[in-house]
């Protein structure tokens, strides 16, 4: 289903491969701008497309593979060029590596004057085979070179690519990342929601629930979390671990669902492998554990902070932009299960500190995680004032 553009309003074509990312991350960020901009979204088909259309978004499905598929990628590029010419946008906004590369090529080919690419996190090239790392570096250079502006959610990521001469400093803009804070404030009846959610998941009142929210892939640190759970079983027998760990469509490197069984912690770990509302889980939890190897700005940490949770997270740039490693969190070394277990144990043993950290987390979220601040910056990059003159 497509809708006709509104006369006199700028048109923006959004290209992103994964419908789940569009629905849960991109669309909420752009929703406020719908008052001033006509959007059309091009993404792969998926379960969330129907929901996006019900929410009033103009969505056209295009097959965009996340992996390297040369012939399919060429077919996709030709389709994107046709869609760009058909819609005739003034603004192109691309997301994710494949969406960025193919979308920016199509936008340049069609002569779109304002071409934005949002970088929501950098891949770790050093962990890949040399050929793959070199190819992805080239992809970033081409994408960033074709875009008129590159928007970074993380100051650290912006600094890294500028220093490596992957993008010109004049093109690289920090916009930040944010969430709807009202959505993650404790609602009326939060205590009852906490009790009901814990009952539904089988947790007893005196058990301490440690929540992790993130895609079920290795670089989210699930193996280290499982190791930490094993280490703490004897010293903290009332600790229980809850993972909201969905797999994203088309993503490689997804972990096996029997990981807790294979690591011998299935008696203390509960895995929820389908996308669902995380708010009741945050309210049911006592601590948020985020063990990622790399991040742009972690959405789970923003949401957990807004819900007033104390947080144990890895000491990586994306986490440090939200967490201070003191007042609202414990930061530990990445890929280190022993450090993770020690950090978690500190908070399990100190309920007074947990409560103080929870209050600090709410303050930090209000200061650093408000999506309205992000919208103001993105709106400026759209050049809405200039377009209306």
């Amino acid at each position: 289903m497509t809708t006709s553009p509104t006369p006199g309003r700028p048109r923006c074509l959004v290209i992103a491969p994964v419908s789940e990312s569009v629905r849960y991350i991109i669309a909420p960020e752009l929703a406020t701008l719908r008052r001033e901009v006509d959007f059309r979204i091009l993404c792969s088909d998926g379960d969330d497309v129907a929901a996006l259309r019900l929410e009033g978004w103009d969505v056209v499905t295009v097959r965009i593979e996340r992996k390297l598929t040369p012939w399919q990628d060429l077919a996709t590029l030709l389709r994107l060029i046709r869609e760009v010419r058909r819609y005739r946008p003034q603004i192109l906004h691309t997301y994710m590596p494949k969406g960025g590369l193919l979308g920016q090529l199509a936008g340049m080919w069609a002569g779109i004057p304002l071409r934005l690419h949002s970088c929501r996190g950098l891949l770790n090239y050093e962990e890949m085979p040399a050929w793959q790392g070199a190819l992805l570096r080239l992809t970033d250079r081409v994408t960033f070179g074709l875009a008129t502006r590159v928007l970074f959610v993380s100051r650290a990521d912006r600094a890294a690519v500028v220093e490596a001469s992957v993008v010109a400093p004049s093109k690289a803009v920090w916009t930040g990342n944010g969430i709807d804070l009202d959505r993650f404030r404790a609602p009326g009846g939060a205590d009852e929601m906490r009790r009901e959610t814990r009952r539904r998941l089988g947790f007893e009142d005196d058990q301490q629930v440690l929540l992790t929210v993130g895609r079920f892939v290795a670089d989210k640190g699930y193996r280290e979390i499982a190791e930490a759970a094993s280490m703490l079983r004897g010293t903290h027998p009332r600790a229980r671990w809850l993972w909201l760990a969905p797999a994203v469509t088309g993503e490689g490197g997804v972990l096996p669902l029997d990981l807790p069984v294979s690591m011998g912690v299935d008696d203390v770990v509960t895995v929820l492998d389908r996308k669902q509302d995380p708010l009741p889980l945050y309210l049911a939890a006592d601590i948020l554990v985020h063990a990622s190897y790399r991040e742009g700005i972690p959405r789970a940490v923003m949401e957990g902070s807004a819900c007033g949770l104390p947080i144990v997270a890895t000491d990586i740039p994306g986490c440090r932009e939200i967490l201070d490693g003191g007042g609202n969190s414990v930061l530990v070394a990445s890929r280190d299960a022993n450090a993770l277990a020690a950090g978690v144990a500190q908070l399990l043993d100190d309920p007074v500190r947990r409560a103080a950290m929870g209050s600090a987390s709410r303050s930090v979220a209000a200061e650093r995680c408000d999506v309205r601040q992000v919208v103001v910056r993105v709106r400026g990059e759209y050049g809405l004032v200039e377009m209306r003159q």
Side-chain angles (χ1 to χ4, degrees):
M1 178 186 71
T2 61
T3 58
S4 300
T6 305
R9 284 173 48 153
R11 297 182 297 277
C12 178
L13 188 65
V14 174
I15 299 178
V18 182
S19 61
E20 293 103 313
S21 297
V22 174
R23 183 183 179 193
Y24 292 104
I25 299 175
I26 297 169
E29 188 173 288
L30 299 179
T32 303
L33 296 177
R34 292 168 74 181
R35 302 168 188 168
E36 303 176 82
V37 179
D38 282 339
F39 286 99
R40 176 167 291 175
I41 297 170
L42 302 185
C43 65
S44 295
D45 201 4
D47 294 340
D48 293 286
V49 169
L52 284 165
R53 288 172 174 159
L54 285 174
E55 293 166 6
W57 293 96
D58 179 1
V59 182
V60 175
T61 58
V62 177
R63 182 179 173 184
I64 307 174
E65 296 287 349
R66 300 184 70 188
K67 299 177 182 178
L68 178 64
T69 54
W71 292 112
Q72 177 58 48
D73 292 343
L74 178 59
T76 298
L77 176 60
L78 295 174
R79 171 75 187 281
L80 292 178
I81 291 172
R82 289 198 300 271
E83 293 294 339
V84 170
R85 287 176 170 170
R86 181 178 301 161
Y87 192 56
R88 296 181 293 109
Q90 290 86 20
I91 309 167
L92 174 72
H93 197 162
T94 62
Y95 293 81
M96 307 173 72
K98 185 66 77 68
L101 177 63
L102 299 181
Q104 293 297 327
L105 284 168
M108 182 198 66
W109 195 286
I112 298 177
L114 182 57
R115 302 185 301 275
L116 308 176
H117 176 68
S118 279
C119 178
R120 305 193 68 87
L122 295 175
L123 297 172
N124 191 338
Y125 308 123
E126 284 68 30
E127 292 185 351
M128 303 173 182
W131 70 269
Q132 188 177 18
L135 180 61
L136 288 171
R137 282 193 187 91
L138 177 61
T139 296
D140 282 344
R141 287 183 185 278
V142 172
T143 300
F144 296 172
L146 292 173
T148 56
R149 301 282 266 184
V150 183
L151 314 184
F152 292 87
V153 300
S154 164
R155 287 188 174 94
D157 286 353
R158 179 193 180 277
V161 295
V162 167
E163 183 178 355
S165 300
V166 176
V167 64
S170 59
K171 279 189 175 186
V173 179
W174 173 79
T175 56
N177 200 1
I179 58 172
D180 180 354
L181 295 179
D182 291 335
R183 167 78 179 80
F184 289 95
R185 287 195 176 100
D191 289 342
E192 178 56 33
M193 183 181 290
R194 172 183 169 85
R195 287 191 293 270
E196 174 56 32
T197 302
R198 289 171 69 101
R199 280 197 296 268
R200 173 171 58 85
L201 295 172
F203 298 128
E204 299 174 8
D205 291 343
D206 67 336
Q207 288 178 331
Q208 298 163 305
V209 177
L210 300 109
L211 173 66
T212 295
V213 177
R215 302 178 343 268
F216 200 39
V217 292
D219 65 7
K220 289 298 181 182
Y222 281 104
R223 288 194 176 92
E224 288 80 5
I225 296 172
E227 290 180 42
S230 180
M231 294 175 192
L232 294 174
R233 180 194 278 109
T235 57
H236 297 81
R238 304 304 290 168
R240 293 295 182 270
W241 306 73
L242 174 61
W243 299 352
L244 177 56
V248 175
T249 302
E251 184 167 35
V254 176
L255 293 168
L257 285 176
D258 66 352
L259 178 68
V261 175
S262 66
M263 298 190 69
V265 292
D266 53 302
D267 59 327
V268 294
V269 173
T270 299
V271 181
L272 306 177
D273 63 352
R274 296 288 184 271
K275 189 76 180 179
Q276 58 186 274
D277 183 3
L279 178 60
L281 307 182
Y282 288 122
L283 297 178
D286 299 290
I287 299 169
L288 179 70
V289 179
H290 191 79
S292 183
Y293 300 170
R294 59 178 179 86
E295 289 284 357
I297 297 293
R299 191 170 191 85
V301 170
M302 292 190 291
E303 294 172 352
S305 296
C307 288
L309 283 175
I311 297 170
V312 179
T314 41
D315 190 5
I316 57 175
C319 291
R320 288 197 298 269
E321 290 189 37
I322 301 173
L323 306 173
D324 60 13
N328 68 330
S329 59
V330 174
L331 295 180
V332 302
S334 176
R335 307 170 187 259
D336 188 333
N338 289 296
L340 184 63
V344 169
Q346 288 181 39
L347 295 190
L348 289 174
D349 294 335
D350 194 341
V352 174
R353 188 181 179 194
R354 291 203 306 270
M357 279 188 168
S359 297
S361 283
R362 291 190 184 92
S363 298
V364 167
E367 177 185 345
R368 305 180 187 178
C369 304
D370 192 338
V371 73
R372 291 173 296 186
Q373 298 169 357
V374 180
V375 170
V376 168
R377 299 182 192 111
V378 173
R379 184 183 184 279
E381 295 304 321
Y382 276 28
L384 293 175
V385 174
E386 290 80 357
M387 286 181 178
R388 288 174 175 272
Q389 292 177 345

